[in-house]
Amino acid sequence: MISMILVLNQKGDIMISRQYRDDVSRAAADSFRLQVIAAKETGTQAPVKRIENCSFLYTRHLNMYFVALTRSNVNPALVFEYLFQKIRILKAYLGEDFDENSMRNNMTLIYELMDETMDFGYPQNCAVDVLRLYINLGNIRPQDEPDTSQLTSQITGAIDWRREGIKHKKNEVYIDVLESVNLLLSNTGNILRNEVTGQVQMNTKLTGMPECKFGLNDKLVIEKETNSNRKPGVEIDDCTFHRCVRLGKFDADRTITFIPPDGEFELMRYRVTDNINLPFRIIPIFREFQGQNRLSINMKVIASFASTLFATHVVVKIPVPKNTAKTKIKTSFGRAKYEPETHAIVWRVKRFPGCSECVFGADVELMPTVRNKAWSRPPINVDFQVPMFTASGVHVRFLRVYDKSGYHTNRWVRYITKAGGYQVRI
């Protein structure tokens, strides 16, 4: 596994070094400084470098390099995940924008964290909440010190993301289903790319150590149920989960069972590529008048979601040639103006009702040019947010909370769909 962890500044000087195995030495940092930092490979080459039978895997934070050294055939994803977790832990202790000076002023703390998060080259406990129980900055009060027996079980136990003894006056769970629609339409109206990426964010305020069972309208689950009156489910292509989810149960019967962390966390991510309900249809017509230095734009935008819903912060960027001199714009609602710095007419609508359509028209006067270079016609870009709407059709079927005391839990669910890369070629 990992033989050494190094932290270097932008000059290549070693700030932190922690050796976990004796098959590499600090002299290897000179090779990294000469062949990577001095050669200015960062940002242009892959963050993996093989030098003298030693693999260097690195990432950057501000002007510092976090480098993992190994001579074995490791899983690169595991190594990078550890480096990212290490940076996340340092942000929690030293602040979001920790720099070289704050690293040098907290050497003892950093070496403690290095020893607790890795043992003999194998990543160990990287949960910030658990690390804070026994590694602190000296400001913990005696009455806040945890019991040593609970601390040992917390560190070595299987559930290190949640401590025992949590109490809340109100037991509540907030669920946010956030989706991003990615669309690319050709100038003839054919769909070139169409997918939805989503994530389920949760904020749990639950007492004790409850077990939760979470259900979506997954097609594979609904097909197993014999109720013929139920609506068809959504075919989820792939998904990833928070480490609290019991993957064995999900593989067996597609049920999402977990003991949640306390507070905010991301339960899962998913992707859907079939039967996507696009929130907006865009029909553009561009006409260039040769010899008249004029361009005519007509466009219709149709909202295809329910009339009870509305989209907010709708921004449509309509490209125009770089030699645009003057524009005359008409819209049925919203505001539009020509922005020379972006070479586009930007049309903004604060509130776009569902099942409605809006018409946009513009006459563009162009300055004459010496060279008649053809306009490249960049695509139309659309940005929006639609609350309480999911383009994929995914919705939460249930969330059950099981606890020994059997308390009542309040649940709130919110859906938000926004634009990812929503583009229409012209």
Side-chain angles (χ1 to χ4, degrees):
M1 284 300 293
I2 298 174
S3 300
M4 180 183 286
I5 296 292
L6 296 172
V7 182
L8 295 87
N9 61 16
Q10 60 184 353
K11 297 179 181 179
D13 300 329
I14 297 176
M15 298 166 51
I16 302 288
S17 70
R18 182 67 176 89
Q19 191 167 358
Y20 298 99
R21 300 189 176 204
D22 57 2
D23 55 351
V24 297
S25 64
R26 282 172 60 106
D30 294 331
S31 302
F32 182 81
R33 180 176 64 248
L34 294 174
Q35 298 196 34
V36 178
I37 299 178
K40 297 183 180 180
E41 282 193 2
T42 56
T44 59
Q45 301 292 330
V48 180
K49 187 73 173 178
R50 183 81 172 168
I51 306 172
E52 297 176 357
N53 295 326
C54 184
S55 298
F56 294 78
L57 299 90
Y58 62 91
T59 186
R60 288 187 66 174
H61 172 74
L62 299 181
N63 59 347
M64 294 175 289
Y65 295 86
F66 287 75
V67 188
L69 285 71
T70 180
R71 289 188 180 276
S72 59
N73 186 19
V74 299
N75 181 353
L78 175 65
V79 178
F80 282 115
E81 178 64 21
Y82 173 77
L83 293 177
F84 295 148
Q85 291 288 345
K86 174 62 71 176
I87 293 173
R88 184 178 65 87
I89 292 168
L90 292 176
K91 285 181 179 180
Y93 275 90
L94 306 179
E96 285 289 326
D97 299 321
F98 70 91
D99 56 9
E100 186 175 342
N101 290 330
S102 57
M103 293 276 287
R104 294 188 187 279
N105 294 334
N106 294 276
M107 286 291 187
T108 304
L109 169 68
I110 291 169
Y111 275 106
E112 279 190 74
L113 293 171
M114 300 281 276
D115 290 337
E116 292 297 336
T117 56
M118 181 166 286
D119 185 21
F120 197 58
Y122 291 92
Q124 301 294 313
N125 185 12
C126 292
V128 176
D129 294 338
V130 178
L131 290 171
R132 277 179 168 162
L133 292 176
Y134 55 97
I135 299 179
N136 57 78
L137 297 174
N139 55 2
I140 191 168
R141 298 189 300 274
Q143 61 266 29
D144 293 335
E145 293 180 357
D147 181 50
T148 54
S149 61
Q150 291 184 0
L151 190 60
T152 303
S153 63
Q154 186 76 22
I155 299 168
T156 59
I159 306 172
D160 62 349
W161 55 85
R162 185 180 182 92
R163 59 183 176 85
E164 295 183 0
I166 296 175
K167 293 182 180 180
H168 290 282
K169 290 183 180 179
K170 290 184 178 181
N171 296 289
E172 302 171 320
V173 179
Y174 300 87
I175 304 171
D176 285 344
V177 180
L178 310 175
E179 290 195 342
S180 179
V181 187
N182 300 298
L183 171 72
L184 180 60
L185 279 180
S186 69
N187 54 3
T188 58
N190 295 324
I191 296 176
L192 304 178
R193 181 169 66 102
N194 187 18
E195 68 173 13
V196 171
T197 57
Q199 58 188 43
V200 179
Q201 297 275 0
M202 296 187 72
N203 186 359
T204 59
K205 299 178 180 179
L206 300 174
T207 301
M209 295 286 283
E211 182 175 280
C212 298
K213 193 173 182 180
F214 180 76
L216 297 172
N217 57 333
D218 188 355
K219 183 177 181 180
L220 294 178
V221 176
I222 291 179
E223 285 179 349
K224 293 180 181 178
E225 300 176 357
T226 57
N227 188 355
S228 59
N229 296 326
R230 194 178 296 276
K231 293 182 179 180
V234 176
E235 186 174 350
I236 298 176
D237 290 336
D238 52 63
C239 47
T240 58
F241 296 100
H242 188 275
R243 58 198 180 97
C244 67
V245 176
R246 295 175 180 172
L247 297 179
K249 297 202 71 173
F250 180 77
D251 291 337
D253 53 10
R254 301 285 288 190
T255 59
I256 303 172
T257 308
F258 58 97
I259 297 176
D262 189 48
E264 296 182 5
F265 69 101
E266 182 182 285
L267 177 66
M268 64 177 291
R269 288 177 178 262
Y270 61 88
R271 186 170 65 93
V272 177
T273 57
D274 290 332
N275 300 320
I276 293 174
N277 182 16
L278 296 174
F280 288 101
R281 286 179 54 213
I282 299 173
I283 306 171
I285 300 175
F286 281 67
R287 293 179 61 191
E288 293 186 65
F289 297 92
Q290 299 294 334
Q292 299 183 24
N293 292 326
R294 193 163 67 88
L295 173 68
S296 174
I297 304 173
N298 291 289
M299 185 172 64
K300 183 184 289 187
V301 179
I302 304 170
S304 57
F305 45 89
S307 59
T308 55
L309 305 177
F310 58 88
T312 61
H313 308 294
V314 179
V315 179
V316 184
K317 292 185 179 180
I318 304 143
V320 293
K322 293 182 179 180
N323 59 329
T324 297
K326 189 168 64 172
T327 59
K328 186 178 179 181
I329 304 169
K330 289 183 180 180
T331 61
S332 54
F333 55 83
R335 293 183 177 182
K337 68 175 184 177
Y338 169 56
E339 296 185 357
E341 63 274 11
T342 60
H343 305 296
I345 297 173
V346 181
W347 178 22
R348 293 180 173 87
V349 181
K350 289 184 178 179
R351 187 184 176 100
F352 202 120
C355 291
S356 62
E357 62 180 53
C358 184
V359 178
F360 171 92
D363 288 325
V364 181
E365 293 184 13
L366 306 177
M367 292 183 291
T369 57
V370 178
R371 298 180 180 177
N372 292 326
K373 186 178 180 181
W375 181 36
S376 60
R377 293 200 174 203
I380 297 171
N381 284 277
V382 187
D383 194 15
F384 56 82
Q385 278 192 3
V386 187
M388 302 309 294
F389 170 81
T390 56
S392 65
V394 167
H395 68 263
V396 178
R397 293 174 58 208
F398 60 84
L399 174 67
R400 303 189 182 105
V401 180
Y402 303 97
D403 188 75
K404 295 178 181 178
S405 59
Y407 54 71
H408 175 71
T409 304
N410 295 320
R411 307 165 183 85
W412 285 271
V413 182
R414 179 174 62 173
Y415 303 93
I416 298 177
T417 294
K418 63 179 182 178
Y422 209 91
Q423 296 182 333
V424 179
R425 291 179 178 174
I426 57 178

